[in-house]
Amino acid sequence: MSEASSLPSWSGAAHARNLASAAMRISYKVHPHGNHHVGNTGAAILYCRSEGILVGSLLHATVPRPIHVVANAAMTAALRQGMLTRAGVIPVRDETAIEAQRSARVALEDERAVALTGSAVHPAYLLATTGAPLVPVVMLGAEGRVPTDPPRPRTRIDVYFFDPVPIRVAGDPLKASVRAAIDERVRQAMDDAESMAALRSGRQS
């Protein structure tokens, strides 16, 4: 894809938020915690390591503004790309995810919030090139017996949002050593967030 990547649909993301909010709260007992950390304006990179099929919908339902979710593998397998695009979701079309990363970067440069889910796109590149803060997100109860399966209806789902973490980049973000340093900082932040979520909830993810 060329550098002139187009912005994902803002109206689609807003519409997806309205639909997901109603659907998730009817189907499950959804309890958001700390979603004010996302803020109502400004660039932010939300990161949730869950591969669950409902992660994108739960983020739409609990974040206090429209967001652009980068689809994880389960979402990509279950939904057609046209449907994802109309909902303001950023599809991942190949293993390199270069096009998805460029679309996400354009959205962040437009002061929007982007959510990365699962392992399809790691935050290192976007953190290094946009300067947007990392907002760790942990979901408990959002997966079925198999991580990519949905939980049973009326399951309690807790969605924890944590303080934004600024990731300082020293050096060329295209260098492997710099990306590795960012990866380690992200891993530490997510490990801490997941441990804190489990402690606060009294259960494991």
Side-chain angles (χ1 to χ4, degrees), residues 49 183-193:
R49 295 197 285 198
D183 285 341
E184 178 59 20
R185 183 70 182 90
V186 171
R187 186 195 64 77
Q188 292 175 355
M190 295 306 299
D191 285 351
D192 290 346

Side-chain angles (χ1 to χ4, degrees), residues 1 16 63 92 103 121 124 135 144 163 165 172 188 190 195:
M1 187 174 180
V63 172
V92 178
S103 293
V121 174
V135 180
D163 289 332
V165 179
D172 184 350
Q188 292 175 355
M190 295 306 299
S195 296

Side-chain angles (χ1 to χ4, degrees), residues 45-97:
I45 299 171
L46 286 67
Y47 185 36
C48 180
R49 295 197 285 198
S50 172
E51 296 284 359
I53 193 170
L54 294 183
V55 172
S57 295
L58 287 164
L59 287 168
H60 280 301
T62 55
V63 172
R65 58 165 156 158
I67 59 170
H68 299 294
V69 177
V70 177
N72 64 19
M75 293 168 60
T76 300
L79 301 171
R80 288 178 292 186
Q81 288 192 4
M83 184 180 297
L84 293 172
T85 301
R86 286 193 295 274
V89 174
I90 300 172
V92 178
R93 296 185 170 90
D94 55 54
E95 292 182 0
T96 65

Side-chain angles (χ1 to χ4, degrees), residues 32 34 41 58 65 97 117 122 131 155:
T41 59
L58 287 164
R65 58 165 156 158
T117 62
H122 199 271
T155 295

